[in-house]
């Protein structure tokens, strides 16, 4: 960015000066750069918005256009209200028995696994994060390093033994098995995030409670948890999003049983087949994306609130 | 930590192994009240962390160790149920991996993909962070929109991309042939070298929000007074960026480079969903997956995965010890 800016400046110095200003000498180098970057900034923002949002817009667009129109006129960038067709959504949600793709079942599976992962992860990670943040015990530093290593390890390396292990004990194809795998992968990050928040909660509050005769569990339940609630909610959203979006392990564990598929798995498996129209799968893509976007916007506000509240209290 | 060593804490610690923790910070293990409190705290800590430890050890650490065993055995999916945990050990899997040209090809693809993907993602993230630095109406909304590629389900966005780039009815090829004057539709995902370029572009699109988020946070902490002083002294916009802002961003960029490189190096979903590993895009993780499921070659898959992890560890180690300190100084 810097280099291009520097090389282009000399040429741009002359042009706007000659074109607009009668007194070119008054234009300092800085003014020119400020103007150039001012224009560049708008161009960059519009360009970035275009490339980030277009695939999502295209997804929604295709999901409400009939297939024959998409094939006939692939370049259309909008849909006339008269041509609006929600048939793809009906087709993707309807059970397989009545000619649909049965995505309602997939959604239930996704929700079950994601919510289960959130519940179990928080149940395990909250005490863990509190311990790592507050209590000195043998090896509490090593534990953090171990968790960081887990976080950065290639998932595909774990995929091999877990695939073999679950095949052998016959848990492959069960949602519970998948849930355990998700928890084991996420719990480390979850502890890391929660610990950072616990670290910002003043110890003095807990000490005051302890002096008033509150037990360790009482302190956790009455003081630490309520104070950390914004972080816990944000963490829950984070875990939900990871579990809802996950693909590799769902593919490895559930692919053979269609009634256990998650939404992501359903889309990826049906994408290759000729019988399922692209528009129907686009409707499926919208369905799997909308909850994430809603949660993301809800969670963003939550995160900001949590952070600013902490800042006000100093 | 103060507070009386309470009964509930002890009760909850009941299940944990009673380790007389060598009291941290090298203080003598006091026999008095202080020592008891320390021990109670240590036990409570272990008790609270133990569920996490159990699940991480059982589901992550043990499987990783097991992968090492698997990599030295001739194990196939077909004879899985009949072979024991410790079969006959052999080095065949590794000699197959290193002896095959496809592995080295995969390695080059993986490195190209990771380096370029990381570079473009961070570059785009930096441009976005700088462009959105000064406040304007609707900036929060724009910022949130920038994060969408990163949070959206990978399957949904890859499906949108493959459809957009489809040679028959994709919107990109339609406008390319009708507006930009392409002679024929480009098979973005099934032709060399277009496929590799496309997956790198996708990686940049998908993960630039991560860099954007970090760099935006870091930019907010850059004090305005320095830049103001430089402006008064006559430094131009680009000079202020080059000599004041960029040096302060470099440590963040270094951390981002490591994290993004690790994740891109390991990533499987993106390429598997976009190309399935075809047309010169088979990175090592996709190759591991194909060995495991399509060929049922468990030993071979384990060996490749181990080599992947080892290469990653070496590269990251080299970076952290050789390059990172120098960058922070500059």
């Amino acid at each position: 960015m810097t280099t291009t800016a520097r090389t282009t400046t000399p040429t741009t110095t002359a042009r706007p000066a000659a074109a607009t200003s009668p007194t070119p000498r008054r234009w300092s180098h800085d003014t020119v750069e400020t103007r150039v970057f001012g224009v560049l900034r708008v161009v960059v923002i519009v360009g970035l918005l275009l490339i980030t949002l277009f695939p999502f817009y295209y997804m929604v667009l295709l999901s409400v256009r009939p297939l024959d129109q998409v094939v006939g006129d692939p370049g259309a960038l909008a849909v006339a209200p008269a041509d609006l067709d929600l048939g793809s959504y009906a087709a993707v949600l309807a059970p397989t028995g009545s000619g649909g793709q049965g995505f309602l079942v997939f959604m239930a599976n996704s929700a079950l696994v994601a919510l289960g992962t959130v519940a179990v992860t928080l149940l395990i990670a909250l005490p863990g994060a509190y311990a790592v943040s507050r209590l000195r015990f043998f090896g509490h530093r090593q534990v953090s390093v171990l968790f960081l290593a887990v976080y950065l390890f290639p998932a595909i390396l774990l995929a091999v033994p877990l695939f073999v292990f679950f095949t052998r004990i016959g848990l492959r194809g069960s949602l519970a098995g998948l849930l355990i795998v998700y928890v084991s992968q996420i719990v480390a990050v979850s502890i890391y995030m929660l610990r950072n928040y616990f670290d910002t909660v003043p110890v003095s509050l807990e000490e005051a409670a302890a002096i008033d005769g509150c037990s360790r569990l009482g302190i956790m339940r009455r003081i630490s948890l309520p104070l950390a609630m914004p972080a816990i909610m944000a963490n829950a959203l984070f875990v939900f999003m990871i579990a809802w979006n996950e693909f590799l392990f769902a593919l490895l564990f559930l692919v053979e049983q269609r009634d256990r598929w998650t939404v992501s798995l359903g889309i990826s498996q049906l994408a290759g087949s000729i019988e399922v129209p692209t528009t129907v799968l686009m409707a499926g893509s919208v369905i799997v994306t909308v909850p994430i976007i809603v949660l993301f916007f809800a969670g963003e506000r939550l995160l900001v609130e949590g952070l600013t509240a902490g800042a006000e209290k100093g | 930590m103060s507070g009386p060593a309470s009964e509930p804490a002890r009760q909850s610690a009941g299940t944990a192994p009673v380790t007389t923790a060598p009291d941290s910070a090298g203080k003598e293990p006091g026999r008095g009240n202080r020592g008891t409190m320390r021990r109670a705290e240590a036990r409570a800590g272990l008790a609270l962390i133990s569920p996490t430890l159990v699940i991480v050890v059982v589901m992550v650490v043990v499987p990783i160790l097991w992968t090492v065993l698997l990599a030295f055995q001739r194990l196939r999916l077909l004879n899985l149920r009949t072979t024991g945990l410790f079969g006959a050990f052999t080095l065949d899997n590794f000699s197959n991996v290193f002896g095959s040209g496809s592995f080295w090809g995969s390695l080059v693809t993986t490195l190209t993909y990771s380096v370029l993907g990381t570079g473009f993602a961070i570059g785009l993230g930096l441009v976005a962070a700088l462009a959105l630095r000064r406040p304007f109406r609707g900036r929060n909304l724009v910022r949130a929109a920038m994060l969408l590629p990163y949070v959206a389900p990978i399957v949904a966005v890859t499906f949108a991309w493959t459809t957009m780039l489809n040679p028959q009815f994709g919107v990109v090829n339609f406008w390319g042939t009708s507006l930009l004057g392409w002679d024929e539709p480009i098979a973005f995902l099934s032709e060399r070298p277009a496929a590799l370029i496309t997956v790198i572009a996708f990686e940049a699109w998908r993960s630039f929000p991560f860099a954007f988020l970090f760099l935006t946070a870091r930019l907010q902490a850059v004090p305005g007074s320095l830049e103001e002083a430089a402006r008064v002294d006559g430094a131009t916009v680009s000079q202020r960026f080059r000599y004041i802002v960029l040096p302060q961003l470099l440590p963040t960029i270094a951390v981002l480079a490591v994290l993004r490189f690790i994740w891109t190096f390991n990533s499987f979903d993106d390429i598997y969903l976009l190309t399935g590993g075809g047309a010169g895009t088979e990175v090592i993780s996709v190759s591991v997956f194909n060995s495991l499921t399509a060929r049922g070659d468990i030993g071979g898959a384990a060996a490749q995965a181990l080599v992947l992890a080892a290469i990653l560890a070496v590269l990251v180690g080299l970076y952290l010890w050789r390059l990172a300190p120098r960058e922070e100084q500059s």
Side-chain angles (χ1 to χ4, degrees), chain A residues 8-87:
Chain A
T8 53
T9 347
T11 53
T12 46
T13 321
R15 213 182 334 112
T20 56
S21 172
T23 51
R25 292 279 168 269
R26 302 285 295 276
W27 286 66
S28 75
H29 197 72
D30 188 41
T31 323
V32 174
E33 270 202 14
T34 309
R35 301 221 166 178
V36 169
F37 280 115
V39 174
L40 213 62
R41 180 165 156 266
V42 177
V43 173
V44 164
I45 292 174
V46 171
L48 280 172
L49 271 180
L50 219 77
I51 59 165
T52 46
L53 293 182
F54 184 74
F56 296 98
Y57 174 72
Y58 187 70
M59 202 190 281
V60 176
L61 181 72
L62 251 59
S63 73
V64 296
R65 292 182 71 202
L67 182 68
D68 51 334
Q69 282 192 21
V70 172
V71 176
D73 178 16
L77 291 179
V79 58
D83 294 337
L84 206 69
D85 177 22
L86 295 178

Side-chain angles (χ1 to χ4, degrees), chain A residues 246-263:
Chain A
E246 207 282 336
F247 173 67
L248 169 60
F249 286 99
L251 175 67
L252 273 175
F253 285 18
L254 305 176
V255 74
E256 282 142 24
Q257 284 158 288
R258 185 172 170 143
D259 58 332
R260 301 267 169 80
W261 284 359
T262 58
V263 187

Side-chain angles (χ1 to χ4, degrees), chain B residues 20-309:
Chain B
T20 34
D23 287 351
S24 47
K27 285 178 184 156
E28 69 270 21
R31 286 265 157 253
N33 190 27
R34 203 177 159 75
T36 341
M37 266 163 50
R38 275 287 171 83
R39 275 202 295 278
E41 189 180 320
R43 267 178 306 185
L46 274 178
L48 292 175
I49 198 79
S50 55
T52 313
L53 273 182
V54 168
I55 196 166
V56 168
V57 167
V58 171
M59 298 301 299
V60 179
V61 177
V62 170
I64 288 174
L65 297 178
W66 194 26
T67 314
V68 179
L69 285 184
L70 289 173
F72 289 99
Q73 296 176 41
R74 282 205 71 71
L75 192 57
R76 307 196 73 86
L77 209 53
L78 292 173
N79 55 22
L80 178 62
R81 287 186 192 278
T82 52
T83 23
L85 181 56
F86 300 95
F89 291 107
T90 165
L91 285 171
D92 283 358
N93 294 322
F94 287 97
S95 61
N96 285 344
V97 167
F98 291 122
S100 77
S102 72
F103 171 78
W104 297 106
S106 291
L107 182 59
V108 171
T109 311
T110 311
L111 283 173
T112 316
Y113 171 68
S114 320
V115 170
L116 293 181
T118 302
F120 284 122
I122 294 178
L124 204 56
L126 181 61
V127 169
L130 290 172
L132 294 177
R133 196 178 173 200
R134 268 192 294 140
F136 57 90
R137 204 143 45 90
R139 183 176 68 159
N140 284 341
L141 210 61
V142 175
R143 270 190 182 158
M146 293 285 160
L147 299 177
L148 285 185
Y150 193 67
V151 298
I154 181 73
V155 175
V157 290
T158 48
F159 187 62
W161 268 64
T162 46
T163 313
M164 269 164 53
L165 300 174
N166 186 300
Q168 276 95 43
F169 55 89
V171 67
V172 174
N173 271 310
F174 176 84
W175 288 111
T177 43
S178 64
L179 260 186
L180 302 177
W182 298 348
D183 293 334
E184 54 186 21
I186 298 174
F188 283 102
L189 295 168
S190 48
E191 246 172 36
R192 291 166 195 259
L196 188 57
I197 296 171
T198 310
V199 293
I200 290 170
F202 177 83
E203 167 61 25
W205 179 83
R206 167 90 172 156
S207 48
F208 91 87
F210 185 80
F212 164 70
L213 201 65
F214 270 64
L215 290 170
T216 298
R218 186 64 190 82
L219 271 178
Q220 281 166 349
V222 172
S225 52
L226 271 177
E227 279 179 89
E228 192 54 33
R231 204 178 65 79
V232 170
D233 288 347
T236 64
V237 178
S238 55
Q239 285 169 334
R240 290 195 304 257
F241 171 75
R242 171 69 186 81
Y243 295 104
I244 293 177
V245 178
L246 188 61
Q248 301 196 56
L249 293 181
L250 274 182
T252 311
I253 292 177
V255 171
L256 276 173
V258 177
L259 282 180
R260 284 295 351 144
F261 182 82
I262 292 174
W263 283 325
T264 318
F265 199 81
N266 292 336
S267 89
F268 162 82
D269 300 353
D270 314 31
I271 288 188
Y272 178 79
L273 287 164
L274 283 172
T275 67
T281 59
E282 191 179 56
V283 290
I284 298 179
S285 56
V286 173
S287 161
V288 171
F289 181 85
N290 287 338
S291 300
L292 184 64
T293 57
R295 292 201 288 281
D297 182 5
I298 296 174
Q304 285 182 65
L306 271 189
V307 172
L308 174 82

